[in-house]
Amino acid sequence: MTETSTLDTPAPAPTPAHVSQPSPGRRPAPRRHKSPVRSPSVLLSRAGVTAMLGLATLYTLLPLTWLLLSSTKSREDLFGTNGFALGDEIHLAGNLGHLFSADGGVYVRWLVNTVLYAGVGALLAAVFGVAAGYAFDKLAFPGKERLFALVLLGVMVPGTAMAIPLYLLAAEAGLVNTFWGVFLPGLVFPFGVYLARVFSASYVPDEVLEAARMDGAGEFRIFCRVAFPMIAPGFVTIFLFQFTQIWNSFFLPLVMLSDQDLYPVNLGLYVWYSSALSQGHPEDYLLAVVGSLVSVAPLIAVFLMLQRFWKSGMTAGAVK
């Protein structure tokens, strides 16, 4: 009977004596991570940033707080009490009723005009701006960069400097003291074109456009069906910028309009305020205060409704 020879296997390397081996059946203790020690400079910088944000918030909320408190007062309390203190009684409902019925309800007319100027105008301006910015980014045509340089030049020109030239152009076209004299200039938004080009370069991949062209889609269909949904956050941002700009516009309507039925709300409030100062009508001052509070409400509502679209990623899943 022959003996079978076993294979020679290398013996395990000996464990050094100074290395402790975990006993069988016992888990090694988890390592404790030490919390990083923040230096005093980091703490001071955070405290400085927090203080600056607090001051900015206070600067933003103080005028709104004054408007809200002043709108609840009577005419006597408005001039006889501290601006940040409540009056003897709350007159907000009565002040609102007087606001909407004063001068035959002209304030409602001013609000409707402002919604048309700012809402419809900003919507069309955002559509035109997104289309122009997409064309400047993705399409090739002669003189593209020179035309875009003109757009950037338009960004640098302030709106008040364009009021008088726009008035002269409107006078030649017969648009002075008409709805179109204020509405049409709001459709041009050079800064929106610049933002749209930036959003198009960041949000619209060239591979998606090439795939759509290979499938036989035309450029207009590619923009409407493929590119525009991807630039939706940019579209909302441009709309909000232009909506706020037109809503707060004052000098252009002041130059262009003389009919009170065409006034936006800002110009109408200025007329009431001027009447209170120059003609000695203190009730118009209270109307201007309450009207200013009401005019802020649509801006806040629009921002709250549309803010969730700013950070939404529209390119997720676009490239397969």
Side-chain angles (χ1 to χ4, degrees):
M1 182 174 183
T2 59
E3 297 181 355
T4 58
S5 61
T6 60
L7 296 175
D8 295 334
T9 57
T15 304
H18 66 276
V19 178
S20 60
Q21 294 293 329
S23 59
R26 178 181 298 178
R27 295 181 180 179
R31 296 181 180 180
R32 296 181 179 179
H33 297 280
K34 297 182 178 180
S35 58
V37 179
R38 296 182 175 88
S39 62
S41 60
V42 174
L43 296 177
L44 288 176
S45 63
R46 289 189 176 183
V49 171
T50 304
M52 291 179 61
L53 291 177
L55 289 176
T57 304
L58 187 65
Y59 176 80
T60 304
L61 294 180
L62 275 180
L64 292 177
T65 305
W66 183 88
L67 274 179
L68 181 60
L69 294 177
S70 299
S71 299
T72 61
K73 300 178 182 180
S74 63
R75 186 178 62 186
E76 292 76 13
D77 292 338
L78 182 63
F79 295 99
T81 59
N82 186 282
F84 294 96
L86 290 172
D88 296 335
E89 296 180 3
I90 303 299
H91 298 271
L92 181 59
N95 292 337
L96 290 175
H98 182 50
L99 172 69
F100 291 114
S101 62
D103 297 336
V106 70
Y107 185 80
V108 178
R109 177 69 179 178
W110 294 341
L111 277 179
V112 173
N113 292 338
T114 310
V115 169
L116 292 177
Y117 292 141
V120 181
L123 183 64
L124 294 177
V127 172
F128 297 154
V130 167
Y134 169 81
F136 277 119
D137 178 50
K138 300 300 181 184
L139 302 182
F141 52 90
K144 180 176 73 172
E145 296 302 327
R146 293 183 180 180
L147 289 176
F148 190 70
L150 292 178
V151 172
L152 295 180
L153 183 63
V155 174
M156 300 170 61
V157 178
T160 54
M162 297 296 297
I164 301 301
L166 287 174
Y167 173 80
L168 296 177
L169 290 175
E172 292 292 333
L175 299 178
V176 174
N177 198 28
T178 64
F179 171 84
W180 302 105
V182 179
F183 179 78
L184 291 179
L187 303 181
V188 181
F189 190 30
F191 184 64
V193 178
Y194 167 75
L195 282 181
R197 183 173 185 177
V198 173
F199 272 96
S200 176
S202 303
Y203 280 73
V204 183
D206 293 334
E207 294 82 359
V208 177
L209 303 182
E210 291 298 329
R213 293 189 182 101
M214 293 180 62
D215 290 340
E219 293 298 333
F220 183 76
R221 186 176 182 182
I222 290 175
F223 170 73
C224 295
R225 297 292 185 89
V226 179
F228 189 82
M230 297 180 182
I231 321 176
F235 173 80
V236 174
T237 303
I238 295 169
F239 170 78
L240 288 176
F241 276 134
Q242 185 67 346
F243 182 83
T244 306
Q245 179 175 318
I246 299 176
W247 191 277
N248 296 328
S249 178
F250 172 77
F251 191 61
L252 179 63
L254 177 65
V255 173
M256 197 74 65
L257 301 176
S258 59
D259 186 2
Q260 287 195 6
D261 290 337
L262 298 175
Y263 282 179
V265 66
N266 282 343
L267 187 55
L269 293 176
Y270 171 76
V271 170
W272 276 344
Y273 180 76
S274 301
S275 174
L277 294 180
S278 61
Q279 301 179 13
H281 296 159
E283 63 276 4
D284 289 345
Y285 188 83
L286 184 59
L287 287 175
V289 172
V290 181
S292 299
L293 177 65
V294 175
S295 67
V296 174
L299 288 176
I300 298 176
V302 170
F303 270 86
L304 291 178
M305 288 188 299
L306 297 180
Q307 66 175 350
R308 66 188 182 93
F309 293 100
W310 293 2
K311 299 179 181 180
S312 59
M314 302 302 291
T315 56
V319 182
K320 295 183 180 180

